[in-house]
Amino acid sequence: MIDALRGFLVVEQWAVLAYFLAVNGFLVVVLVASGLEMRSHLLESWYESRLRLLSSAAAPTITLLAPAYNEALTVSESLRSLLTLRYPKLEVVVINDGSTDETLAVLRRDFDLVAVHPIFRRSVDSQPIRHIYRSTTSAGLVVVDKVNGGKADALNAGVNVASGELVCAIDADTIIQSDALLRMVRPFLNRDDVVAAGGTIRVVNGSRVSGGRVVEARAPRGALPALQAVEYLRAFLTGRLGWNRLGGNLIISGAFGLFRRDAMLAAGGYEHDTVGEDMELVARLRRRAYEQGGPGRVEFIPDPVAWTEVPDSLRVLGRQRDRWHRGLADVMWRHRRVLGRPKYGSLGMVAYPYFLFVELLAPVIEALGLVGLAAGLALGAVNWSFAALFFAVAYGLGIVISVFTIALEEWSHRAYGGLRDRLRLTAWSLAEGAGYRQLTTVWRLRGLMRYARRNKEWGVMTRTGFVAGDPVGGSAPSAPQRP
Amino acid sequence: MVSTQLVLIALAIEAVALAVGLALLAGHGGWLAVRERRLAPRLAAARAAILTGLVERPSQQLPLAPLEALPFDERLRVLGEAAASVAGAQRSHLRGLARRAGVLDRAGALCRSRRWKRRLRGARMHTLLGGGEAVMPALLSDRRAEVRVEAAAWAAEHPEPEIVARLLELLGDPAARCRFTVHDSLMRLGPAAVAPLVDFLASVGGARAAAGLQVAASLRDPRLLDAAHRLLSDEDAETRRRAVDLLGALGGERALAALTDRLSDPVADVRAAAARALGQGQHWTAAAQLTAALRDRSWDVRSAAGMALRGLGAPGELLLERMLADEDRFAVEMARLMLDLPGAPA
């Protein structure tokens, strides 16, 4: 019996090792693709004038959709920051999603709102709209007051009312770079078949924020935010950028993403019944393009376009990762029919299998590997050399990829302060495999188990908030983003 | 089981890769920091010399020495920073300095390169600083879309008829970015683009004409009226819609009959555009046809007709009230929506 168990453990360990080799090998390919993509991007944007686009009458209109729920304390400041974004044709639609506090009253007072009754088509389902207001002091500001229905529902109401050819979904607590829209619109101008675009989102913890803008970008000082900053860099700069060359992205961050409105309406808008509505929409847009023809390309630009505050407590971070993984599981399940079907091109043959076997199932396999390794060592089925090889392949290659990602950041945008900040992030990336990564595995496993029990809660996240002039990092409530 | 040798090989590979990554990171960062520190005083001197020259001594040549003390990339950086904020005589002044500093010569040489990336760099330098009249027109026909885009951007400051004509040909370019930049440049050229645009619209149809009409609608020049009328009967629906938009933008009594006629176009987008254009021109004599359009099967047409009627004031509102008793429930619904708008009669 013991011998049979030992034999099983040996086979299992080799299988897990082979899995990690394949995954890390693929990630190296993604890293190389990212490097090539970054080189093209830097050439394309070399001395490119964004001022020209800023003064162009031919630029497409962008509608910013900002859902707000009980944000009376911060909504006016956030909105002022949005209204000063640099873009020639900008409409801002704030959707008051049935707030029970003074959100609407504050908006009416600060922006001199008057009720209007514009004719719009209810193209996608949403809870009833009670009133629509326009500001007499800020041209281009529209406030939609509706019955509460959640974030996806609020965004759908906003899409119905929007007049822009492009719509940009943002979270109220995302800090957007002033020229972000000028950068984000580029993929839509470059190609006719782009339906969605996203950009790099950075971690704001540790940076100095004033007037709704990051005035001094620094790498986070605390361990947890710093480790997440490394994760974000890897997810955006290596992950999503590389996917531009490997068959297109499947995720556009809910914190800041730009979509073609007609494609979004044709696809039916945001799905209400999921916790991963941003990823679900992107998957549906791509799938629909393969099924019905028409545009379906999802592009990622490496430019830093927005900043978000990440959790600085393990409890909140755990809830966030749990939710993200439930969202991922839900999207994978909803679109399971695309797996391995040539009809769906790179979506079915590359992107979906990657997200299923690498992103979704990785924690299961990693946990099996770790438990099997411990059992194998205890029973003498595997030796210490094997354990060393396992860790070298599973975690060592991850560190190498993180270091090269930070090198890519150094070569390109250098968004986080000076070299010292990037070296600090590098030091944290070396420590990522010593506890942090295992914790994320546990949280993601918990997310999978909760998904299996059909749990669709969002959970509550605690944030520090942005106090003008102070580095971000301390506690006030708000909502989390997927990198 | 796994041999120690295999583990050592795996670890060695990772250690080498890690060392390379760290060396790249620290090396690049360190090199940049040292270079920036070394160049900072020279960059400051060059910026100050250009600023002083442009603002305080506009009649004198800008001093070349501070710029010559910089490597080529930094010369371009300083000139580019200044070029983004100046126009007219100051821009010419700056262009003169760029020429004397050898930047425009280098740009010209790059534009003639066989490698497209170099041609793109050269073209961008000319867009940034000006000049390039000898090399840039040819790049409007470059085989790489990226280069054509840059040449089209450069052309916005060059209203010569042959360049405008070439821009108009590029309205049908297969690359989306090229079409956008051409559109933008033609709008920036303004009146200089009208005569070539009239000729262009007289000779084309279909999608290319639609792109031309889109530019024409933003130029709003009466010389474009004939072209709009001719293209109203084009086979391509998008072209007819754009022609309707142009007529709406130009207005005038002559447009009335043509626009009213388009209310019965087989394509809903064209009918909606016609209703909008009639509303835009306040053509009250078309009120009866607009009222009939409230029964259209397309929501867009009904709402455009309703808005047009409402825009006509009291007569339009009277017609909307009458439609409340119509047997078509969609027409009744749209009339009700229009009458419910703020400011409408109770």
Side-chain angles (χ1 to χ4, degrees):
Chain A
M1 177 68 184
I2 293 288
D3 283 347
L5 187 60
R6 279 184 184 146
F8 170 76
L9 285 172
V10 169
V11 172
E12 186 244 23
Q13 286 300 294
W14 277 109
V16 172
L17 197 64
Y19 168 83
F20 276 116
L21 260 179
V23 167
N24 284 321
F26 187 76
L27 290 177
V28 170
V29 172
V30 177
L31 178 68
V32 172
S34 299
L36 294 172
E37 192 73 6
M38 182 67 88
R39 200 175 64 161
S40 308
H41 175 77
L42 292 178
L43 172 74
E44 201 182 305
S45 52
W46 184 80
Y47 281 104
E48 186 188 43
S49 172
R50 279 189 290 280
L51 284 177
R52 187 183 164 89
L53 185 58
L54 186 60
S55 61
S56 173
T61 303
I62 293 180
T63 299
L64 279 178
L65 303 177
Y69 178 71
N70 287 350
E71 290 174 26
L73 290 177
T74 56
V75 71
S76 287
E77 195 187 336
S78 305
L79 197 47
R80 284 197 185 96
S81 164
L82 293 182
L83 289 165
T84 56
L85 288 178
R86 296 168 73 198
Y87 191 76
K89 294 181 182 175
L90 180 64
E91 177 186 60
V92 179
V93 175
V94 179
I95 308 106
N96 176 42
D97 190 28
S99 296
T100 52
D101 68 353
E102 297 294 301
T103 300
L104 185 62
V106 168
L107 286 169
R108 290 180 76 155
R109 182 195 67 209
D110 290 354
F111 296 93
D112 205 5
L113 300 180
V114 289
V116 292
H117 189 165
I119 306 298
F120 66 89
R121 181 185 272 178
R122 197 160 168 255
S123 303
V124 289
D125 272 347
S126 76
Q127 289 290 328
I129 289 175
R130 288 190 284 240
H131 289 103
I132 296 179
Y133 302 89
R134 273 194 174 275
S135 168
T136 56
T137 53
S138 303
L141 171 61
V142 177
V143 175
V144 176
D145 180 32
K146 66 178 277 291
V147 174
N148 179 265
K151 185 186 168 191
D153 190 75
L155 288 169
N156 280 345
V159 174
N160 281 332
V161 173
S163 66
E165 294 126 277
L166 302 174
V167 290
C168 181
I170 60 160
D171 278 330
D173 46 9
T174 300
I175 297 179
I176 300 174
Q177 294 273 96
S178 62
D179 61 352
L181 293 173
L182 294 172
R183 293 171 186 269
M184 288 271 284
V185 79
R186 193 193 289 135
F188 294 91
L189 301 180
N190 283 348
R191 300 178 63 119
D192 291 318
D193 58 349
V194 173
V195 290
T200 301
I201 292 173
R202 311 271 167 151
V203 171
V204 76
N205 303 48
S207 298
R208 205 189 306 275
V209 175
S210 180
R213 296 274 180 271
V214 174
V215 291
E216 188 187 359
R218 302 298 304 267
R221 300 219 162 236
L224 213 48
L227 287 165
Q228 290 173 82
V230 175
E231 267 189 311
Y232 270 61
L233 274 180
R234 208 172 45 223
F236 285 102
L237 276 191
T238 313
R240 295 190 200 167
L241 186 58
W243 277 104
N244 276 358
R245 287 201 175 214
L246 297 173
N249 273 281
L250 207 55
I251 299 180
I252 293 293
S253 175
F256 192 52
L258 196 55
F259 295 86
R260 253 176 75 160
R261 181 170 172 264
D262 57 357
M264 203 187 223
L265 290 176
Y270 285 95
E271 179 62 53
H272 292 68
D273 191 26
T274 178
V275 289
E277 72 285 336
D278 42 1
M279 185 182 182
E280 199 285 327
L281 175 65
V282 174
R284 191 148 33 92
L285 285 170
R286 291 200 60 190
R287 183 177 171 179
R288 196 182 143 81
Y290 283 110
E291 286 171 350
Q292 300 181 14
R297 191 174 174 84
V298 177
E299 283 264 329
F300 175 80
I301 58 158
D303 296 6
V305 291
W307 300 79
T308 191
E309 190 188 354
V310 296
D312 57 5
S313 87
L314 286 174
R315 193 170 51 88
V316 180
L317 180 62
R319 281 206 298 259
Q320 184 195 56
R321 296 307 161 94
D322 167 335
R323 183 178 65 80
W324 284 357
H325 221 65
R326 273 184 288 144
L328 177 64
D330 189 41
V331 174
M332 293 286 103
W333 178 250
R334 282 170 192 268
H335 297 281
R336 60 191 178 279
R337 281 162 201 259
V338 308
L339 176 65
R341 292 178 69 181
K343 172 187 171 185
Y344 291 102
S346 61
L347 174 66
M349 305 303 286
V350 188
Y352 188 94
Y354 170 83
F355 276 90
L356 177 66
F357 294 116
V358 179
E359 296 285 341
L360 185 70
L361 296 179
V364 178
I365 294 165
E366 192 169 337
L368 283 176
L370 287 172
V371 171
L373 190 67
L377 283 170
L379 293 174
V382 293
N383 58 18
W384 287 101
S385 297
F386 188 93
L389 186 68
F390 183 92
F391 277 99
V393 172
Y395 300 118
L397 258 174
I399 292 172
V400 171
I401 289 169
S402 293
V403 169
F404 272 91
T405 303
I406 299 169
L408 199 62
E409 160 75 358
E410 162 64 35
W411 174 51
S412 55
H413 294 98
R414 296 184 286 279
Y416 283 122
L419 178 62
R420 196 173 296 173
D421 289 85
R422 287 183 286 284
L423 289 176
R424 194 188 307 146
L425 288 181
T426 310
W428 282 116
S429 75
L430 299 177
E432 199 184 349
Y436 178 76
R437 188 165 153 176
Q438 290 78 5
L439 266 178
T440 59
T441 301
V442 171
W443 292 325
R444 293 195 292 168
L445 274 175
R446 193 176 69 193
L448 273 179
M449 287 189 283
R450 291 182 74 194
Y451 176 72
R453 294 200 300 266
R454 299 280 165 211
N455 187 322
K456 287 177 181 163
E457 283 170 22
W458 268 65
V460 177
M461 179 173 150
T462 308
R463 287 179 192 274
T464 308
F466 311 125
V467 179
D470 290 341
V472 177
S475 303
S478 164
Q481 337 293 339
R482 171 192 286 279
Chain B
M1 294 306 291
V2 176
S3 72
T4 312
Q5 213 170 6
L6 185 61
V7 174
L8 289 176
I9 290 170
L11 288 175
I13 291 171
E14 284 180 359
V16 169
L18 194 61
V20 170
L22 288 171
L24 283 174
L25 177 61
H28 187 265
W31 174 76
L32 267 188
V34 170
R35 188 169 188 267
E36 202 68 27
R37 200 174 306 139
R38 198 164 52 85
L39 287 174
R42 284 188 268 164
L43 279 168
R47 285 183 184 121
I50 289 176
L51 188 66
T52 311
L54 287 174
V55 177
E56 292 173 14
R57 292 188 287 273
S59 56
Q60 295 175 23
Q61 267 196 347
L62 291 167
L64 184 60
L67 210 58
E68 279 186 325
L70 294 170
F72 184 81
D73 282 355
E74 302 304 322
R75 285 184 207 180
L76 187 59
R77 178 170 147 190
V78 172
L79 288 166
E81 286 166 2
S85 332
V86 296
Q90 287 184 328
R91 188 165 162 80
S92 309
H93 225 40
L94 195 69
R95 185 158 56 243
L97 177 65
R99 182 163 288 122
R100 286 187 291 125
V103 176
L104 294 189
D105 285 346
R106 173 81 74 94
L110 287 170
C111 286
R112 291 188 192 91
S113 172
R114 292 178 63 184
R115 295 186 185 176
W116 74 269
K117 290 176 183 176
R118 290 187 180 178
R119 292 200 299 281
L120 176 61
R121 280 178 180 251
R124 205 158 270 172
M125 284 157 72
H126 277 310
T127 308
L128 191 67
L129 300 166
E133 286 74 8
V135 287
M136 290 298 284
L139 297 186
L140 285 167
S141 309
D142 198 275
R143 61 182 180 279
R144 291 292 301 206
E146 294 89 338
V147 181
R148 293 199 301 277
V149 167
E150 204 52 46
W154 171 88
E157 288 185 21
H158 295 80
E160 296 82 13
E162 59 278 15
I163 290 178
V164 180
R166 180 68 194 119
L167 276 180
L168 288 164
E169 283 172 34
L170 286 175
L171 278 172
D173 196 278
R177 185 59 184 262
C178 194
R179 294 197 300 275
F180 171 79
T181 309
V182 166
H183 187 167
D184 182 65
S185 290
L186 287 167
M187 285 166 72
R188 286 172 196 272
L189 283 165
V194 174
L197 186 56
V198 170
D199 294 342
F200 174 77
L201 290 175
S203 61
V204 295
R208 291 177 70 203
L213 286 165
Q214 197 182 354
V215 176
S218 48
L219 294 175
R220 296 182 178 213
D221 192 291
R223 285 175 283 172
L224 294 157
L225 201 59
D226 287 338
H229 279 286
R230 187 181 73 78
L231 291 164
L232 271 180
S233 51
D234 195 272
E235 280 182 9
D236 180 46
E238 176 68 5
T239 306
R240 293 200 300 278
R241 185 176 77 79
R242 296 284 181 194
V244 165
D245 286 345
L246 176 56
L247 272 186
L250 294 172
E253 284 307 307
R254 198 182 147 201
L256 174 63
L259 290 175
T260 310
D261 189 40
R262 282 302 112 200
L263 281 176
S264 52
D265 194 280
V267 176
D269 278 354
V270 182
R271 296 198 299 276
R276 267 193 303 274
L278 285 165
Q280 204 177 338
Q282 303 262 308
H283 292 291
W284 62 269
T285 47
Q289 288 88 339
L290 286 170
T291 309
L294 283 176
R295 299 189 193 100
D296 197 286
R297 59 189 179 280
S298 158
W299 186 93
D300 287 328
V301 179
R302 292 199 301 275
S303 68
M307 291 299 283
L309 280 170
R310 198 170 175 281
L312 295 178
E317 280 159 7
L318 185 66
L319 289 167
L320 284 168
E321 278 175 24
R322 280 188 193 164
M323 285 304 284
L324 293 177
D326 198 85
E327 55 194 29
D328 185 314
R329 68 184 177 90
F330 294 111
V332 173
E333 189 182 278
M334 187 53 71
R336 167 57 56 205
L337 268 174
M338 293 298 152
L339 290 167
D340 280 349
L341 286 171

